[in-house]
Amino acid sequence: MTTRTFDVVRLIDAKRRGEAIDPAGIAELVARYVDGRVPDYQMSAFAMAVVFRGLDAQETLALTEAMVRSGDRFDLRAIGHRIVDKHSTGGVGDKVSIALAPIVAACGVPFAKMSGRGLGHTGGTLDKLESIPGFTIEMGYDRFIDQVRSVGVAIIGQSGECVPADRKLYALRDVTATVESIPLIAASIMSKKLAAGADAIVLDVKVGSGAFMKSMNDARELADTMIAIGQGAGREVRAMVTDMSAPLGRTVGNALEIREVRDLLEGRHAPDLLELVITAAGLLLSLSDLDIEPAKGRELAGTAIRSGTARERFDAWIRAQGGDPDAPLPEAPVQLDVTIPYGGVITRLDALAVGRAAADLGAGRQTTEDRVDHAVGVELHRQVGEQVADDELVMTVHARSELAAQRAADSILGHLEIDHDADAVPFDRSVVIECRG
Ligand code: URA
C-alpha cells in the first residue's frame, strides 16, 4: 500500500483477517495517527485486530521504528563511550536500576537512563529517586551529557517529545483493553529504549503474580520479541527472565526502597536483590567497551560494592542531581509491626497482594495525575523460604493512619502462606531463570 493509495479501513481489515501489513503501511498508519489524520476509533480497531492476530517480526520492527520516528531521538555519541541502559518490565519492590547505575559507573562504564513515569503499584524509578530530598529528574540534554561524562551516571525523566506515538497509543490501549498484546508491549517498550540512544540494552522481563507477564511462555516470547526488535535496529540486547511471584528484596515503597539501595551499596543486602543487581551489572559490563565476559563483570560489580566505590559514585550522582545522599528520607507517621502467632516456613508471599497493599497506602499511582506518597510502604522482615518463629515480626507497614496500616497488613496476611512443618530452604526465589540474546 503506497502513501497515495493509503486506505486505513483496508489496512485494519487486512489485519483483522490475519494478513501481514507491509512496513510502509505501518509507518503511514503511525504517522497519520500522531498527526490526527487517523482517529482514535480506527487506531483502536487496529490495536484490537493486533491483539487477536498478532504482528510478525517485520511488522513489529516497522511499528517500533515508526514510533521512534514520531519524536526526539537522543544522540549519546558525545559521551565518547559505548552507552549501556537497562529496562525492567516492572515488578513489586524493583529498585535494581537505582543500585545498578552507580555500580556500573564505578566500574568505569557510563550509565545514561531516561525513565518514564508509568503507572503501577509502587512508584517507578523516578518516584523512588524523588523521595531523596532535593533530587531532580528534570534536566536539559546538554547537562545530561555533561553529567554522564563527569559523574558517569544520570537518570532523568523522558522529555515530552520522546516517542509521542507511544504516549498517544498507550493511553488509547489503556482504555480499549488492548494493552495485553506481546508485539504492542514490545514495540512500546523498545521504541522508548531506541529513542533514548543507548548502544546496548539489558532487559529484565519479570514473570509471576506481580508482573505484566504471568506465564513463563509469555515472558520468554516478550523477551525474544524485544531482542529481535533491538537487533533489527542495530543495538545489542540481552534479556533476563526473572521471578516476580514475591516482592524483590525487603522493601516496597519509594523512600523505603532508596534506603534499601543505600544499604546494599554499604554491603547490607537481601540475597535475592544482590543476585539480580550483580547479574544485571555483569551483563551490562559485558556489553560495554570494557569487552569482558559477564562472569568478570559480576566480579567487578561485587568489588565495587565491597570497596565502597559504588557508594561513593551513588553520592556523587545524587549530589549532581541536586539531592543530599545522606539526608533523612520521608517517614510515615504510623509504623505498624506485624507478627504471626504460629511459626513455620513462608511458602508464599504474593507479590501482587503486597503491591496492591502498597498502592492502597498511596505508594503508587492509578492515573498519570496522581501524586505518589514517598513515605508509605511495606518493609518485609522475612521472605519466602525463611523460617519464622511463633509471634515473630514478619513485616512493618508504613502508613498515614492506623486504619490504613491495619488494612494493608490484613490483606497481605491473607496472601501469606506458612508451612508449619517444612524446613527453611535456600533463598533463591529471584535468581535469573534465563539469559538470552
Ligand atoms: N510498559 C510499556 O512501556 N508499554 C506497554 O505497552 C506495557 C508496559
Side-chain angles (χ1 to χ4, degrees):
M1 222 177 268
T2 67
T3 307
R4 255 184 313 111
T5 61
F6 183 79
D7 178 342
V8 67
V9 178
R10 269 181 52 203
L11 185 145
I12 296 166
D13 185 51
K15 184 42 64 189
R16 185 180 60 83
R17 287 183 284 104
E19 286 175 18
I21 311 293
D22 67 37
I26 291 188
E28 194 63 29
L29 174 72
V30 172
R32 286 173 184 241
Y33 178 55
V34 172
D35 69 20
R37 282 175 295 160
V38 166
D40 275 351
Y41 53 81
Q42 286 181 317
M43 198 59 175
S44 63
F46 177 75
M48 190 57 87
V50 172
V51 168
F52 286 108
R53 293 299 195 164
L55 293 177
D56 66 21
Q58 192 187 31
E59 290 171 294
T60 310
L61 180 59
L63 175 63
T64 312
E65 290 185 326
M67 296 209 296
V68 172
R69 283 194 297 275
S70 72
D72 292 343
R73 276 168 275 178
F74 292 87
D75 184 350
L76 303 181
R77 276 173 300 190
I79 294 167
H81 283 275
R82 247 173 102 66
I83 299 299
V84 296
D85 190 0
K86 178 249 169 200
H87 180 81
S88 158
T89 57
V92 178
D94 188 354
K95 66 282 288 174
V96 170
S97 292
I98 301 170
L100 192 60
I103 293 173
V104 168
C107 297
V109 171
F111 187 95
K113 184 171 174 62
M114 288 178 203
S115 244
R117 285 258 178 224
L119 307 175
H121 303 303
T122 54
T125 295
L126 299 179
D127 300 297
K128 291 169 195 180
L129 285 167
E130 282 178 331
S131 68
I132 301 171
F135 191 93
T136 176
I137 54 118
E138 268 153 43
M139 191 185 294
Y141 172 77
D142 290 343
R143 218 188 112 198
F144 178 62
I145 298 288
D146 277 354
Q147 184 177 312
V148 178
R149 271 203 188 127
S150 57
V151 184
V153 47
I155 299 184
I156 62 169
Q158 239 152 27
S159 91
E161 282 317 304
C162 191
V163 201
D166 178 62
R167 212 164 351 101
K168 196 168 172 189
L169 182 56
Y170 193 57
L172 184 71
R173 288 166 56 213
D174 203 27
V175 294
T176 54
T178 51
V179 170
E180 279 170 49
S181 150
I182 287 175
L184 293 182
I185 295 172
S188 164
I189 292 173
M190 290 304 291
S191 62
K192 289 171 283 199
K193 291 286 105 185
L194 297 180
D199 300 294
I201 302 155
V202 169
L203 300 166
D204 182 2
V205 179
K206 303 287 189 195
V207 60
S209 74
F212 243 108
M213 297 294 121
K214 307 293 181 202
S215 79
M216 191 63 188
N217 277 351
D218 283 352
R220 283 187 177 152
E221 195 182 326
L222 179 60
D224 286 342
T225 308
M226 291 196 289
I227 289 168
I229 294 172
Q231 288 172 343
R235 313 289 170 93
E236 255 192 285
V237 184
R238 299 279 185 280
M240 318 182 281
V241 177
T242 66
D243 185 308
M244 188 31 76
S245 57
L248 183 57
R250 299 287 171 162
T251 57
V252 178
N254 300 289
L256 292 171
E257 292 187 42
I258 292 293
R259 201 182 71 193
E260 189 172 7
V261 168
R262 293 201 305 211
D263 286 349
L264 182 142
L265 296 175
E266 289 168 9
R268 298 181 301 278
H269 40 67
D272 65 326
L273 178 63
L274 182 70
E275 174 62 21
L276 198 49
V277 167
I278 292 279
T279 303
L283 283 177
L284 280 169
L285 294 175
S286 76
L287 294 173
S288 73
D289 45 19
L290 292 183
D291 197 19
I292 54 175
E293 289 298 316
K296 179 69 186 165
R298 283 179 66 97
E299 215 180 290
L300 291 180
T303 305
I305 297 174
R306 284 190 300 279
S307 66
T309 53
R311 174 67 211 235
E312 284 165 20
R313 198 57 73 114
F314 175 83
D315 291 358
W317 163 38
I318 301 303
R319 282 198 194 95
Q321 289 190 231
D324 175 351
D326 297 312
L329 296 164
E331 275 189 28
V334 173
Q335 296 179 10
L336 177 71
D337 286 336
V338 182
T339 58
I340 45 165
Y342 303 111
V345 170
I346 300 181
T347 51
R348 180 169 168 247
L349 177 51
D350 187 62
L352 184 59
V354 178
R356 285 198 174 135
D360 290 344
L361 289 167
R365 62 164 71 74
Q366 310 288 333
T367 74
T368 43
E369 285 78 39
D370 288 349
R371 279 176 68 88
V372 156
D373 186 338
H374 291 124
V376 299
V378 181
E379 192 180 353
L380 303 166
H381 303 292
R382 290 284 177 268
Q383 255 288 11
V384 172
E386 293 182 344
Q387 184 86 43
V388 198
D390 293 354
D391 295 318
E392 196 182 336
L393 186 63
V394 283
M395 66 182 149
T396 301
V397 178
H398 297 244
R400 287 282 151 202
S401 71
E402 297 282 350
L403 183 64
Q406 196 58 57
R407 269 203 202 118
D410 290 345
S411 75
I412 295 170
L413 288 176
H415 294 84
L416 179 121
E417 288 170 15
I418 297 219
D419 184 332
H420 300 290
D421 302 317
D423 293 326
V425 288
F427 191 53
D428 65 353
R429 181 194 54 78
S430 226
V431 295
V432 172
I433 298 168
E434 188 140 322
C435 222
R436 40 174 69 196

